[in-house]
Each structure stands twice: as C-alpha cells, then as structure tokens.
Amino acid sequence: GQQLNQSPQSMFIQEGEDVSMNCTSSSIFNTWLWYKQEPGEGPVLLIALYKAGELTSNGRLTAQFGITRKDSFLNISASIPSDVGIYFCAGRSVSGGTSYGKLTFGQGTILTVHP
Amino acid sequence: SQTIHQWPATLVQPVGSPLSLECTVEGTSNPNLYWYRQAAGRGLQLLFYSIGIDQISSEVPQNLSASRPQDRQFILSSKKLLLSDSGFYLCAWNRGTEAFFGQGTRLTVV
C-alpha cells in the first residue's frame, strides 16, 4: 500500500528558531495536507495543497507541494511555545475507486519549543 | 458550517466489556466517514471508512467493528474489549480532499 515517510520524528528547538519538516511518498499524490495535533485533541488542518509546485502560507507556516508530486514540506518561522504539538502530513492519491477520499498519513513530527 | 461531534471524550472499560463510540456530522450530507486509532500519541491508523449508509470498509483485521445506520452517524463497536484496544480514537469526515477530525475519545481498557 501507499506509504508516507515523515521526518524528522521529533524536534527540540529554542523559541524563535525556524522549523522544517517533510514527507515523501512512494506514489504520486494529488493533494497534500498538513495537520497539527495538540495533546488530547483531534488534528486540525493547517494548510492544503492541490497543485504540484504550489507554495502556500498560513501566518508563520509555509508549505509546498513538491514538483514530483511525491513530497511536501512544512516550514514554521520564528517558532513560539504554542507551536508545540504533533505535525502530520497527509496525502491523497491520484487513483480513485475504493481509495476515494482516503488519506494516507505520515507518522508525525513531535515538536517541542523551549522558551 | 460543518461540525463533527464525537463522544465520549474519555472512557475506562474493563476487559471483556462491550464498546460503543459515536460520531455525528452536521452541516453536510453524504460525507465520507472514518475511524482512526492513535497509539502512544503518534501515527494515525485507519480502522474503517464509509462512503455511504451501511457501506463500511475495514482496513485492518481487529476486534472492532463499525456501522453507519444513518448518513451522518458513524459508530465504532466491540463485543468484548481487549487490553490492546486501548488508545485514542478519532472520527473524521470529508467530502472533497480535506478531512476534518473530531475531538477524539481516550479509551483505556483495564
């Protein structure tokens, strides 16, 4: 089946530093999504990407849909303590059929920000 | 606007007892519905998805089952819980490309 490799698995950074994480896939996706999950909560959608090469920002967050359609990255600039959480990438494949609407998730990046 | 409700938020159940977790979506029709399990605060494992009433697909063999008796209602069940069923269960929905999650249920089987 489809696999997403998300890295790094965890990051420990100082407040004010920039953060970068990425996901790579064994197959082509036509949608990439980035989510943030805080402890005890469900993941919340941060950014959605629909086109190869697309670069989208949401405040201090920037994400890009790789031109090969097999990867995506998320950058967080000038991190703050409330950025703490688990960040997930998710992709939806080109093919439909029984996979319609199904998202494949990465394993998550645990972000810790030290004040 | 669309909302998703999932309950209960936390649950402690003895081994061998039954389980019923409920999820409902408001503000949309004919959504795709999903049940995920998250162990140890990490990856999301897709358990079941549904594209319509009484249409359920299981992703992994397990001690759980799912049902969709109404368009916007998705239920996760078990007849007899195992210790290994403990985890954080998330319901999600989508109609297009973006999926939206409920608040999750923390299940502890003791």
Side-chain angles (χ1 to χ4, degrees):
Chain A
Q2 297 161 349
Q3 301 222 347
L4 278 185
N5 294 312
Q6 184 173 349
S7 65
Q9 290 188 3
S10 60
M11 302 183 74
F12 299 84
I13 62 170
Q14 291 293 125
E15 183 176 1
E17 290 183 4
D18 296 342
V19 172
S20 185
M21 59 191 78
N22 68 83
C23 275
T24 58
S25 167
S26 57
S27 54
I28 291 174
F29 286 113
N30 61 1
T31 301
W32 282 97
L33 306 174
W34 284 93
Y35 290 84
K36 178 188 177 186
Q37 184 182 28
E38 300 192 4
E41 303 283 330
V44 173
L45 183 65
L46 298 174
I47 293 178
L49 303 161
Y50 303 105
K51 251 173 33 172
E54 180 181 354
L55 185 71
T56 297
S57 293
N58 178 5
R60 293 177 295 105
L61 278 62
T62 302
Q64 185 159 27
F65 193 141
I67 57 172
T68 65
R69 303 172 77 183
K70 291 186 176 182
D71 61 342
S72 177
F73 71 77
L74 175 71
N75 286 342
I76 305 173
S77 63
S79 59
I80 59 178
S82 62
D83 290 333
V84 164
I86 305 177
Y87 290 80
F88 291 100
C89 62
R92 179 169 174 255
S93 65
V94 173
S95 62
T98 58
S99 296
Y100 176 78
K102 265 200 311 183
L103 292 175
T104 301
F105 280 84
Q107 287 302 298
T109 296
I110 300 174
L111 178 63
T112 303
V113 180
H114 295 290
Chain B
S1 64
Q2 301 87 7
T3 56
I4 179 168
H5 302 280
Q6 186 181 342
W7 68 92
T10 59
L11 192 59
V12 180
Q13 291 284 101
V15 169
S17 64
L19 172 74
S20 181
L21 302 182
E22 191 161 341
C23 173
T24 59
V25 179
E26 296 177 357
T28 187
S29 59
N30 197 29
N32 297 318
L33 296 171
Y34 307 83
W35 279 110
Y36 288 87
R37 176 166 58 201
Q38 185 177 33
R42 290 308 303 270
L44 300 169
Q45 179 187 34
L46 179 62
L47 301 176
F48 300 95
Y49 74 95
S50 171
I51 61 172
I53 294 174
D54 294 330
Q55 299 179 68
I56 311 293
S57 294
S58 174
E59 287 294 297
V60 294
Q62 58 203 309
N63 184 41
L64 302 167
S65 61
S67 61
R68 186 171 175 174
Q70 300 180 45
D71 181 46
R72 291 169 293 166
Q73 183 186 29
F74 206 23
I75 298 171
L76 183 69
S77 304
S78 173
K79 292 182 179 177
K80 287 185 178 182
L81 283 168
L82 306 172
L83 285 173
S84 57
D85 291 325
S86 293
F88 192 53
Y89 289 83
L90 288 157
C91 180
W93 76 274
N94 80 321
R95 280 201 67 188
T97 51
E98 300 165 15
F100 300 92
F101 287 84
Q103 290 296 296
T105 296
R106 171 72 58 192
L107 172 66
T108 304
V109 182
V110 296

